[in-house]
Amino acid sequence: MERPYRLVTRLDPSQDRPAPHPSPPPVPCRRFIARGTTSDRTVLLTAPLPGADPVLFRAEAEAAQRLAPPWTFPVTETDGAAHGADAWFTTPYVPALPLPVALAVHGGPLPEETVRVIGAALAETLTALHAQGVAHAGVAPASVLLTADGPRLTCFGAARATDRVDRAAQAPEQATGGLPRPPGDVYGLGAVLAYAATGHTVPERSELPSALGATITACLTRDPAHRPSAAALLPALSPPTPHGTVLGSATTLLTPDWLPPRVVAALAHQSAALLAADLAVTAETAETAEAPGPGGGSATGNDHGHGSGTGHGHDGLGQGRGHDGQGRGHDGQGRGHDRLGKAHGHGIGIGN
């Protein structure tokens, strides 16, 4: 049966290449930009890390579909299988950068205004989750995506499906085997703010911006009983105002220039590159269909050099389309272990 999505490109940096120094925080799950095989719908497709429990991953995705807190992407589709190794879910696609990629694009720590928006959005999301008696259990720098209209917290419950988590963002009580609870999410939020503001998940106190240092330090307190609640962080993250306005939603902090210019440019490039990749696929398909093959028929991949074959990329999910008659996919868009869809090998260079 044909898979419903073909993978266009990886959203996160590859984890199987030599890591730069300092190395980026580990990703809690695998995220790809994907396109429907029978429609033009573009989605963000999330899959578990290798070795993760696919059944538990699927259950967490279905739980996120029911909860739908603010500043997250709604889960629109899951793989629909009750069992099996393949597990994935989709959310609506908008141009987005993982927080570690945004810091790399910007060239260092983000401005205080950006850090405040990230913190307020995550605090609002966690407040909604905690009010329903649910913990996210995976708040970490790599689980945060930045879009033009605000941050998004992703990978709900991913940490419960795998033991490959960001240890630097994990609360001490969870690291020693405790169950994920709301105070642990607040610790993760503090780690995200610390990373966004300094480039380090566990920075020195002197590295923190003076206006946010006390708030971040309170989140990272080892004793969970002494950490603030997510709801209490909303006013703490509001910038000082002459009238003492209390922050009710992160939306009030979203000014047109809340993101640094280089991050805005990277989001625009991602959108343009996705369109270019789609145009390349369309042109290639038309060329293959129209080219005369032996005996006057349409050329196949082996005759014309555009055949479908097994790709040999780093992350490879799906079937790659090659350019040398051998069918080798580019940038990890070839056949992988999960076989989630058909990728055409036109990677757009996001997070690679």
Side-chain angles (χ1 to χ4, degrees):
M1 185 177 80
E2 185 177 40
R3 299 288 175 170
Y5 294 100
R6 60 177 174 85
L7 304 183
V8 178
T9 193
R10 178 192 306 115
L11 192 68
D12 298 286
S14 175
Q15 298 290 297
D16 55 1
R17 298 179 185 179
H21 184 78
S23 59
V27 298
C29 47
R30 294 177 296 164
R31 295 170 295 200
F32 301 86
I33 300 173
R35 178 61 58 85
T37 53
T38 59
S39 70
D40 291 332
R41 190 160 69 99
T42 302
V43 299
L44 181 63
L45 188 147
T46 301
L49 294 173
D53 182 343
V55 175
L56 187 53
F57 180 90
R58 187 177 295 111
E60 295 291 346
E62 292 170 351
Q65 195 170 23
R66 295 190 298 270
L67 294 168
W71 303 108
T72 62
F73 291 126
V75 175
T76 53
E77 185 181 2
T78 64
D79 65 337
H83 304 284
D86 289 357
W88 51 265
F89 66 86
T90 62
T91 58
Y93 168 74
V94 295
L97 293 181
L99 181 58
V101 175
L103 263 71
V105 167
H106 180 61
L110 299 175
E112 181 182 321
E113 177 186 6
T114 306
V115 177
R116 286 185 182 275
V117 174
I118 294 170
L122 267 59
E124 191 174 350
T125 302
L126 295 177
T127 297
L129 285 175
H130 297 168
Q132 300 178 68
V134 177
H136 180 279
V139 181
S143 65
V144 178
L145 299 183
L146 301 187
T147 75
D149 63 349
R152 296 293 187 275
L153 182 58
T154 66
C155 297
F156 175 84
R160 283 187 277 253
T162 180
D163 58 0
R164 293 171 58 185
V165 297
D166 187 345
R167 301 296 179 186
Q170 190 176 41
E173 65 273 17
Q174 283 183 234
T176 55
L179 293 175
R181 297 182 60 82
D185 285 345
V186 172
Y187 188 96
L189 173 54
V192 169
L193 295 179
Y195 180 82
T198 69
H200 307 289
T201 311
V202 187
E204 296 293 332
R205 181 70 166 81
S206 59
E207 295 181 81
L208 298 173
S210 57
L212 294 173
T215 299
I216 296 174
T217 301
C219 292
L220 295 175
T221 300
R222 293 189 62 83
D223 186 348
H226 292 161
R227 292 175 206 145
S229 67
L233 289 173
L234 277 170
L237 290 164
S238 178
T241 63
H243 308 292
T245 304
V246 176
L247 177 66
S249 171
T251 304
T252 60
L253 298 181
L254 278 175
T255 61
D257 57 351
W258 81 277
L259 280 176
R262 289 185 179 180
V263 176
V264 174
L267 291 171
H269 171 75
Q270 183 184 115
S271 180
L274 179 62
L275 176 60
D278 282 341
L279 292 175
V281 169
T282 301
E284 180 182 292
T285 301
E287 180 185 1
T288 303
E290 294 174 4
S298 295
T300 65
N302 290 331
D303 299 324
H304 198 65
H306 293 285
S308 286
T310 301
H312 297 284
H314 292 289
D315 260 309
L317 300 172
Q319 205 167 30
R321 183 179 294 277
H323 291 276
D324 58 359
Q326 302 290 324
R328 292 188 177 90
H330 299 285
D331 291 331
Q333 308 301 325
R335 182 183 296 276
H337 296 295
D338 291 316
R339 304 182 304 282
L340 295 176
K342 289 187 177 179
H344 285 271
H346 295 281
I348 61 178
I350 297 168
N352 292 330

